[in-house]
């Protein structure tokens, strides 16, 4: 199994330049109150579809030859990858069929349809099987949410930008679900600055990766268990490919409680003036419960939150 390299990430950066936003690093001087600037936020919520997933989607579609791309694409996702593939497909003028579980927040389903994609709703835990049938029916090309080198390399462009903007960064905290984001960012960081600490973050209620890393192999948590977390974008499990990357690039994995996540959503809204979905706030939650010495960057991975849920969290 061949893993993604820094050359793959650099090639991805060249392909997606002009298609995605080069997000800034936003200082958080309110976070520590010690005078020294220690925390920065990388707000991928500012991307066109409100999440980092657009990087991997554009790189995967851009990597296809013209004839293959013309067949259209298929994806399965709880939301942000769905929107990313739909948006990228619309930019390329090709069809997109997106399989989404019925429990996906409506704001993400509606946003996916906005980009012209055909949405296929499915039962919990059936995304992959339904997507395979859609591929067979349509002849489209599957763009998986994380289990693909081109997707991982696209997400890794975030790591390139972090090192360019803060070359003396000490720690980067990254949400972990299927593992594509942390795999890509970790690959870039470890190649460019091996001493940086790359810390993955999971909800306690969906901590399958944390357990897998402890025992040395992937473990399976039921979809019913993983669906308990408010962080709906972090309910997937790593693939063989991403788990191999995570074992290589993560220095640590921290789990955070539901209360930690809600508090981080409130803090980002009230202090940073950034809207984060619960999944996007877990890295800040980890910083609050387990800050490390030196300069830290936390990845705000997405901001697609249901208005009613955001209102409830802010009122809490």
């Amino acid at each position: 199994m061949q893993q993604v390299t820094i050359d793959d990430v650099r090639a991805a950066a060249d392909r997606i330049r002009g298609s995605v936003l080069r997000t800034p690093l936003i200082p958080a001087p309110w976070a520590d109150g010690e005078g020294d600037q220690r925390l920065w936020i990388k707000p991928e919520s500012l991307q066109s579809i409100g999440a980092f997933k657009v990087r991997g989607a554009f790189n995967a579609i851009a990597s296809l030859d013209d004839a293959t791309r013309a067949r259209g694409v298929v994806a399965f996702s709880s939301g942000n990858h769905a929107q990313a593939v739909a948006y990228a497909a619309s930019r390329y003028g090709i069809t997109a069929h997106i399989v989404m579980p019925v429990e996906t927040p409506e704001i993400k389903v509606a946003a996916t349809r906005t980009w012209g994609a055909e949405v296929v709703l499915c039962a919990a835990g059936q995304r992959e099987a339904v997507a395979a049938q859609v591929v067979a029916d349509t002849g489209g090309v599957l763009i998986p949410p994380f289990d693909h080198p081109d997707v991982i390399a696209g997400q890794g462009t975030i790591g390139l930008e972090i090192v360019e903007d803060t070359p003396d960064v000490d720690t980067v905290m990254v949400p972990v679900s299927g593992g594509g984001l942390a795999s890509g960012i970790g690959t870039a960081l470890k190649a460019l600055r091996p001493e940086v600490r790359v810390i993955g973050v999971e909800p306690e209620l969906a901590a399958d990766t944390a357990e897998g890393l402890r025992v040395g192999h992937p473990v399976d948590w039921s979809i019913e268990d993983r669906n308990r977390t408010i962080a709906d974008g972090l309910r997937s499990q790593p693939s063989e490919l991403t788990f191999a990357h995570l074992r290589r690039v993560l220095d640590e994995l921290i789990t955070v409680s539901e209360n930690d996540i809600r508090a981080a959503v409130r803090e980002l809204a009230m202090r940073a003036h950034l809207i984060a979905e619960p999944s996007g706030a877990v890295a800040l939650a980890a910083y609050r419960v387990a800050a490390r010495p030196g300069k830290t960057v936390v990845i705000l991975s997405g901001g697609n939150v249901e208005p009613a849920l955001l209102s409830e969290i802010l009122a809490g």
Side-chain angles (χ1 to χ4, degrees):
M1 176 174 38
Q2 187 167 350
Q3 295 191 25
V4 171
T5 69
I6 188 61
D7 290 338
D8 297 323
V9 178
R10 286 179 170 138
D14 290 337
R15 287 191 198 99
I16 68 176
R17 189 174 292 112
S19 297
V20 306
L21 178 67
R22 191 191 189 287
T23 53
L25 281 182
I26 297 177
W30 39 265
D32 297 298
E34 297 179 356
D36 294 334
Q37 179 59 54
R38 296 176 54 198
L39 179 66
W40 281 261
I41 301 166
K42 182 75 166 167
E44 288 295 298
S45 54
L46 301 182
Q47 294 291 352
S48 52
I49 58 92
F52 74 94
K53 291 283 192 176
V54 72
R55 295 173 182 264
F58 264 103
N59 189 49
I61 293 176
S63 297
L64 300 172
D65 63 67
D66 292 343
T68 302
R69 190 186 303 122
R71 289 157 41 194
V73 292
V74 178
F76 56 87
S77 166
S78 61
N80 287 333
H81 179 66
Q83 293 177 66
V85 172
Y87 173 62
S90 73
R91 288 280 300 272
Y92 275 96
I94 60 176
T95 60
H97 291 79
I98 312 294
V99 178
M100 307 180 79
V102 293
E103 69 268 19
T104 302
E106 178 56 32
I107 190 173
K108 296 183 179 181
V109 176
T112 302
R113 288 182 170 135
T114 296
W115 298 114
E118 179 70 30
V119 174
V120 180
L121 296 177
C122 69
Q126 296 300 308
R127 300 183 311 174
E128 291 89 341
V130 173
Q133 186 59 53
V134 174
V135 168
D137 293 342
T138 66
V141 179
L142 182 66
I143 308 293
F146 50 84
D147 189 26
H148 195 289
D150 291 336
V151 173
I152 293 171
Q155 322 306 23
T157 59
I158 296 171
L160 291 182
E161 294 173 10
I162 290 172
V163 174
E164 288 171 1
D165 291 348
T166 309
D168 58 345
V169 63
D170 295 296
T171 301
V172 177
M173 294 184 167
V174 190
V176 172
S177 181
L181 178 63
S183 294
I185 291 176
T187 294
L189 292 173
K190 290 301 184 181
L192 299 173
R193 198 169 190 276
E195 65 272 27
V196 71
R197 293 184 297 271
V198 183
I199 299 179
V201 187
E202 279 187 311
E204 290 176 353
L205 297 183
D208 51 281
T209 304
E211 181 181 345
L213 292 174
R214 282 196 302 270
V215 300
H217 58 79
V219 298
D220 182 38
W221 284 32
S222 72
I223 188 63
E224 292 78 17
D225 281 345
R226 287 178 276 130
N227 276 355
R228 294 174 300 163
T229 179
I230 193 175
D232 62 275
L234 302 183
R235 293 170 178 166
S236 295
Q237 300 186 121
S239 65
E240 181 182 354
L241 177 63
T242 55
F243 190 81
H245 281 79
L246 296 176
R247 290 191 70 180
R248 176 172 60 86
V249 303
L250 288 186
D251 295 286
E252 187 178 354
L253 198 146
I254 295 171
T255 61
V256 291
S257 73
E258 299 297 287
N259 286 339
D260 295 333
I261 296 170
R262 288 172 177 267
V265 171
R266 287 194 293 271
E267 184 174 354
L268 285 164
M270 304 306 294
R271 300 305 304 272
H273 311 293
L274 292 167
I275 298 301
E277 59 192 277
S279 304
V282 297
L284 179 61
Y287 182 79
R288 280 303 182 206
V289 301
R292 296 295 183 262
K295 295 184 177 181
T296 297
V297 172
V298 297
I299 309 299
L300 197 178
S301 56
N304 295 315
V305 58
E306 289 276 10
L309 176 60
L310 179 62
S311 179
E312 174 207 323
I313 293 173
L314 294 180

